Amino acid sequence: PMGDAPTAELEAVLDGGGWDVGATFEGSPAPPAPVSLGRTVCYVVLAVLFNEEGAVLLVQEAKPECRGRWYLPAGRMEPGEGVVEALRREVKEESGLECEPVTLLALEERGPAWIRFAFLARPAGGTLKTLEEADAESLQATWWSGDPRELPLRSLDILPVLDLATRYRQSPPHPPTLPRELPCAPLCLRLLLPFTNAAGDLWVLLGTAGTPHLPVVTCGTSPRELRGGLCQPVLWLLRDCLPWDPQPWVLGLLGLQHRAGGPGGADGICFNVALSTPLSTHGDVPPELRDPALCWWHVEEEGLRGRILQRLQATVPIRS
């Protein structure tokens, strides 16, 4: 029944918001260790800004290993710093401009050890850094209207991000998505895992411990886990509860929550993710689950069902 479902939580997640993570995690018998920037995790921010003429903001690197090459404003988050705060700081330090974030364009990850937040942002004041103002952060900044590949780039990895930014400005593929300020000690993923059949019925996987909720899995901090992708804890959970070995999943980001200086000074983040799965190939009803801590909830309310199905097609890409 609807009263047994986490309707408020689902509504918040579908709107790009967050929800209290709590202390219970699916598939985790022991409490997960809090994560710490610079010790167990590395978060990086990267910004794409355009001016009114459509030129993109590029900065010339000052670091010895890539001095003189060009790149988007980017850098590591610092302890005690929020994601958006880090974005504004890096853009200001490297380009001289103030900025306001518009949306996340992509989440790029190599497991918990390295996660980069690529933003589309808009200029909000300041003046471009010139060669006379060169420092350890950058040599200068410019608005570049040509093909970035005409410049000596620090790395070609910014080209796919620039493509995402251009396409978002033309026709946004997902709603504006920005971090929500809610505390989280570990690095974890809240899962929106749907099951649909040919008749259009929809079920959502729920955790049953305490109040029914969307399942939350945590990323570990062992060397092996730090090198693994964010999908790894999801696979471990589902391999334990499904009657067959799941195929690789495609994750899409619905939102995220982080508060600088969280519980115990931790730098955890909860990513709200939707999973694109081949579950519907296994029948007209969801598979029986081997773990009693999980269950399927049949979404009968037509409005909520439509919102879920629509949102599954409009997520921020996660690139591993």
Side-chain angles (χ1 to χ4, degrees):
M2 181 66 74
D4 294 333
T7 307
E9 180 184 359
L10 263 169
E11 295 281 359
V13 168
L14 292 172
D15 286 337
W19 200 257
D20 179 31
V21 171
T24 302
F25 302 94
E26 277 64 41
S28 300
V35 297
S36 176
L37 270 172
R39 299 179 62 184
T40 53
V41 293
C42 174
Y43 304 146
V44 178
V45 293
L46 178 143
V48 183
L49 284 81
F50 296 96
N51 66 9
E52 292 181 356
E53 289 73 39
V56 67
L57 179 67
L58 295 177
V59 296
Q60 194 173 34
E61 295 283 2
K63 303 179 187 67
E65 64 272 20
C66 54
R67 187 177 179 86
R69 294 187 174 271
W70 294 86
Y71 206 63
L72 294 170
R76 294 186 179 188
M77 280 177 56
E78 298 175 354
E81 191 173 46
V83 182
V84 170
E85 182 183 358
L87 176 78
R88 292 183 177 127
R89 175 184 55 77
E90 286 291 346
V91 171
K92 178 66 173 178
E93 289 177 350
E94 296 193 353
S95 74
L97 299 183
E98 308 286 346
C99 78
E100 288 298 327
V102 175
T103 185
L104 267 171
L105 291 169
L107 182 69
E108 302 170 294
E109 58 101 359
R110 301 171 193 164
W114 188 89
I115 297 173
R116 186 164 75 174
F117 306 91
F119 283 91
L120 176 64
R122 59 175 175 268
T127 56
L128 283 178
K129 180 185 283 189
T130 65
L131 280 172
E132 289 72 26
E133 299 167 304
D135 55 21
E137 299 296 335
S138 67
L139 300 179
Q140 62 177 324
T142 189
W143 291 110
W144 184 257
S145 58
D147 186 338
R149 289 169 293 188
E150 296 173 1
L151 294 172
L153 296 177
R154 169 182 151 187
S155 172
L156 297 179
D157 68 347
I158 63 171
L159 297 179
V161 179
L162 286 170
D163 182 57
L164 285 175
T166 300
R167 285 191 282 136
Y168 192 94
R169 295 177 76 216
Q170 294 169 347
S171 179
H174 56 79
T177 304
L178 295 172
R180 299 301 175 97
E181 193 171 327
L182 288 170
C184 184
L187 192 66
C188 57
L189 294 88
R190 177 182 284 112
L191 312 179
L192 177 57
L193 173 58
F195 178 97
T196 57
N197 61 19
D201 296 313
L202 172 68
W203 290 260
V204 171
L205 189 69
L206 297 184
T208 59
T211 303
H213 59 276
L214 294 177
V216 180
V217 296
T218 61
C219 299
T221 56
S222 70
R224 176 191 173 195
E225 291 166 319
L226 287 174
R227 290 191 297 270
L230 291 181
C231 197
Q232 187 178 73
V234 181
L235 283 172
W236 285 346
L237 172 73
L238 298 180
R239 282 171 180 163
D240 288 341
C241 74
L242 291 176
W244 70 85
D245 191 25
Q247 300 301 308
W249 310 86
V250 178
L251 298 180
L253 185 70
L254 298 167
L256 67 152
Q257 58 192 66
H258 170 263
R259 177 178 291 168
D267 299 298
I269 294 179
C270 181
F271 297 103
N272 296 330
V273 298
L275 282 74
S276 175
T277 73
L279 289 180
S280 58
T281 62
H282 290 267
D284 291 329
V285 295
E288 184 176 348
L289 299 168
R290 295 188 296 212
D291 187 345
L294 297 167
C295 71
W296 293 106
W297 172 56
H298 187 205
V299 182
E300 297 179 347
E301 203 277 310
E302 191 63 27
L304 181 58
R305 174 184 166 279
R307 288 195 63 205
I308 293 172
L309 292 175
Q310 182 182 45
R311 196 68 170 90
L312 292 173
Q313 306 302 316
T315 62
V316 175
I318 299 177
R319 297 182 165 179
S320 302

